[in-house]
Amino acid sequence: MTITKRKLPKLGLFIKNPNLSHKLMLIGLSITLFFIFLAFFAPVFQAWGWLQDPTKFLNNSPQVPPSAQHWFGTTLLGHDVFSRTIFGAQAALKVVILATALSMLIGVPLGMVSGYLGGKLDKLLLFIMDSIYTLPGLLLSVTLAFIVGRGILNAAIAISIAYIPQYYRVVRNHTVSVKTEVFIEAAQAMGASTWTVLSRYLFFNVIQSVPVLFTLNAADAILVLGGLGFLGLGLPEDVPEWGYDLKQALEGLPTGIWWTTLFPGLAMTLMVVGLSLLGEGLNEFVNPRLRGENRK
């Protein structure tokens, strides 16, 4: 008995004749990998003396414009903006990956169980997920951040709750359509347990859209994390964070101190754009119907 899987386009065709969506996906992938590289090697660069400690400021002059010594200038307190921008990518990736992974690990199994078993459990989970889905994501995250407090894990938990219904709904709908296929009925007729059917025959047929949803949720989570940091509900003050830096930079913006706002905001925007382009490209790569429409 074989597991039917959706065939993806051949890599050779993708390389030989890339369309606009494929090119944008490559741009998004390049931007994303660039930020991952910076986040991963930021401590190494600091150990080599290429980056200052983003939490130390006593040795720097305050509000110095971009120069050879401070590429992105310094803040009102004397923090090196370049160093805080680089380490801000590290903090953002930690929270975002953890938040989207938590929501995926909860939403995917619940969607599979709900769609496969149906009945009262399905109705109850649908009601709960729809109730969460109707709430604004940022408002829900802000409310939870008040409850759980500041910190990387706490921020990830506060952000992840809003994305669980998305994974649940996508996986549940796929499960409902796939569970009526002949190979599922054959497995049930041969006495396969519910766990065997879910893990061996259903899982790989209902998760095609999960990577797409993961990247798009990651892009949105960066903005939510920035909002939490701007409100003072994100990470502790000793952790470099783009949203918190933007909040601190607002005081100097009316006096012409533009660099403390520009560079953290630009970094946040670039990462969101990169993940969004990557997610949209993966969506076309996974969805055959969308690929056909774009080739017309």
Side-chain angles (χ1 to χ4, degrees):
M1 190 180 302
T2 60
I3 302 174
T4 59
K5 297 181 181 179
R6 227 179 258 175
K7 292 184 177 180
L8 298 179
K10 294 182 179 180
L11 183 60
L13 294 177
F14 170 75
I15 298 176
K16 183 179 179 180
N17 188 26
N19 57 25
L20 179 60
S21 296
H22 293 158
K23 294 177 181 178
L24 292 177
M25 183 181 71
L26 290 177
I27 294 175
L29 178 61
S30 301
I31 295 174
T32 303
L33 291 177
F34 174 72
F35 276 102
I36 293 175
F37 171 81
L38 291 180
F40 187 80
F41 285 98
V44 179
F45 295 153
Q46 182 184 351
W48 290 350
W50 295 359
L51 289 177
Q52 290 189 2
D53 188 334
T55 62
K56 293 183 178 180
F57 53 89
L58 295 178
N59 296 329
N60 298 330
S61 300
Q63 294 183 332
V64 174
S67 62
Q69 184 178 2
H70 302 286
W71 290 359
F72 290 177
T74 60
T75 66
L76 177 63
L77 296 177
H79 291 109
D80 184 71
V81 178
F82 180 72
S83 178
R84 290 189 65 85
T85 301
I86 300 299
F87 276 92
Q90 185 184 65
L93 284 174
K94 286 181 180 178
V95 175
V96 165
I97 292 176
L98 185 57
T100 48
L102 285 173
S103 57
M104 180 181 65
L105 290 176
I106 297 174
V108 171
L110 287 180
M112 291 179 61
V113 172
S114 178
Y116 182 72
L117 297 180
K120 294 182 179 179
L121 177 63
D122 183 41
K123 293 180 180 179
L124 177 62
L125 289 175
L126 270 175
F127 174 77
I128 295 174
M129 294 300 171
D130 287 345
S131 299
I132 298 175
Y133 191 73
T134 56
L135 298 174
L138 180 58
L139 178 61
L140 181 60
S141 298
V142 169
T143 304
L144 291 175
F146 270 116
I147 299 173
V148 300
R150 304 171 72 173
I152 291 179
L153 179 59
N154 293 343
I157 293 174
I159 295 173
S160 66
I161 301 299
Y163 302 128
I164 292 176
Q166 299 182 30
Y167 290 99
Y168 168 83
R169 290 163 67 97
V170 169
V171 173
R172 177 196 173 275
N173 292 339
H174 280 303
T175 302
V176 170
S177 61
V178 172
K179 73 176 184 179
T180 57
E181 296 289 339
V182 176
F183 69 95
I184 298 294
E185 296 178 353
Q188 294 170 340
M190 293 176 62
S193 64
T194 300
W195 168 254
T196 301
V197 173
L198 289 175
S199 61
R200 185 174 180 182
Y201 301 109
L202 269 176
F203 180 73
F204 291 103
N205 288 278
V206 300
I207 62 168
Q208 289 92 346
S209 299
V210 169
V212 178
L213 196 57
F214 186 92
T215 53
L216 294 177
N217 283 344
D220 184 71
I222 291 175
L223 295 177
V224 176
L225 177 63
L228 292 179
F230 191 84
L231 296 173
L233 299 172
L235 305 183
E237 295 182 2
D238 59 341
V239 178
E241 181 187 0
W242 293 332
Y244 179 77
D245 286 351
L246 288 175
K247 175 186 176 182
Q248 297 296 106
L250 286 182
E251 298 179 4
L253 190 60
T255 61
I257 311 300
W258 52 268
W259 52 88
T260 54
T261 306
L262 174 65
F263 295 111
L266 184 61
M268 184 186 301
T269 302
L270 282 176
M271 184 178 282
V272 171
V273 169
L275 287 170
S276 299
L277 291 177
L278 179 59
E280 293 295 339
L282 286 176
N283 189 30
E284 181 187 345
F285 203 67
V286 169
N287 193 334
R289 182 178 301 177
L290 186 59
R291 290 200 307 269
E293 292 177 354
N294 288 339
R295 286 174 181 166
K296 293 180 181 179

